[in-house]
Amino acid sequence: MLVLAIDTATPEVVTGVVEVTDDSGPLVRSERRELTTRGHAEILTTRILECLAEAGVTRADLDAVVVGQGPGPFTGLRVGLATGAAFGDALGIGVHGVCSLDAIALQEPEVRSLLVVTDARRREVYWARFVDGVRTHGPDVLAPGELTAHLAGENIDAVAGSPGHSALFDLPVRTASAPTALSLVQVALPNLVASVVPGPLTPLYLRRPDAVELKDRKK
C-alpha cells in the first residue's frame, strides 16, 4: 500500500510517500519538510510531485492519503486539507485525517507523560497531553501562562513541538517539532490496514479564522 502523507498544521510543511506492507513497518519512500510561515499553496503541490518522482511512483499508484487535521492556523491548515481531499477525490482513494499533535507525540514513545505544543499565534499555543502514547487532554488552545496553571499538579515529564513555545515551559524539551510523513501514517495505520472507510475530514481550527468578512467585523 502506497500512502501520500500531508501536513500543513505547523510552519513545517510536510509531504511524503510511505509504503505500508504486511510483513514490516511503514517505510518512507520519500519526504519533503520545509519551514514556511506562508505560501503553503504555492509549495505544497510541487513538493508532493517531487516526492512522487523520488519514490518512483505516479499519482495513480497511490492507495490512500493521510492528512493532518490540525489544530493549526486557518489558512495553512485549509490548504493541506483541500489538497489531500482533491487527491483522494481525483484518484478515488480514501483520505484519512489525523490529529497533527498525535503525529508529533508518536515520535517520542519513550516519554511516559508528554505535553505537545505548537504555535497558535495571538500569543497562544495549541496543546495536548499524552500518557503512554495516548492523548488524555486536548487538543485545545490557551496562552502558555494559562496552560501552565491549567496543568498545575499534573505529572508531565517533557514537552515537544514548536521549539520557541516548548521553551516557555519549565520542562525538558524533546526534539520532535512537527509531524513527519512516517508519524502521520503511523497514527492512521490501524485504519489503513483494516481498510476502514474514512469519515469526512474535520479541520481542528479550535477558533474563528483571523480573516473575517467586513460584516462580521462590524458585529
Side-chain angles (χ1 to χ4, degrees):
M1 178 186 298
L2 290 171
V3 183
L4 173 65
I6 300 170
D7 190 89
T8 56
T10 77
E12 191 166 334
V13 175
V14 178
T15 58
V17 175
V18 179
E19 184 176 3
V20 177
T21 62
D22 293 332
D23 54 357
S24 63
L27 172 67
V28 178
R29 296 276 295 268
S30 60
E31 184 178 37
R32 294 287 186 277
R33 302 176 66 177
E34 183 170 345
L35 282 172
T36 180
T37 56
R38 60 187 64 197
H40 295 73
E42 288 78 8
I43 69 172
L44 184 57
T45 300
T46 299
R47 298 299 175 264
I48 290 173
L49 296 178
E50 290 174 355
C51 285
L52 292 173
E54 183 178 315
V57 302
T58 68
R59 281 174 279 192
D61 295 320
L62 295 172
D63 299 295
V65 179
V66 173
V67 59
Q69 295 173 277
F74 182 83
T75 302
L77 184 56
R78 181 177 59 181
V79 168
L81 290 169
T83 302
F87 268 82
D89 185 61
L91 300 172
I93 57 179
V95 183
H96 298 259
V98 300
C99 176
S100 302
L101 301 181
D102 292 358
I104 297 175
L106 197 65
Q107 299 170 57
E108 303 289 353
E110 67 279 10
V111 180
R112 183 179 183 277
S113 180
L114 178 70
L115 175 66
V116 176
V117 296
T118 59
D119 185 10
R121 302 176 183 173
R122 304 184 190 178
R123 299 182 180 180
E124 294 179 327
V125 294
Y126 297 116
W127 69 276
R129 183 196 176 195
F130 299 80
V131 177
D132 293 328
V134 177
R135 177 159 33 97
T136 59
H137 299 76
D140 204 346
V141 57
L142 283 173
E146 293 175 328
L147 179 54
T148 297
H150 180 71
L151 295 174
E154 299 285 349
N155 181 26
I156 299 176
D157 299 317
V159 59
S162 167
H165 297 84
S166 296
L168 298 174
F169 299 88
D170 187 20
L171 292 166
V173 177
R174 307 296 295 186
T175 58
S177 59
T180 65
L182 179 60
S183 67
L184 289 163
V185 172
Q186 287 175 320
V187 174
L189 194 59
N191 287 340
L192 289 169
V193 298
S195 299
V196 172
V197 177
L201 288 175
T202 304
L204 298 171
Y205 295 130
L206 301 188
R207 65 186 183 203
R208 291 173 59 82
D210 292 325
V212 297
E213 294 184 14
L214 184 59
K215 63 181 180 181
D216 292 332
R217 291 174 186 248
K218 290 180 179 179
K219 293 179 182 179

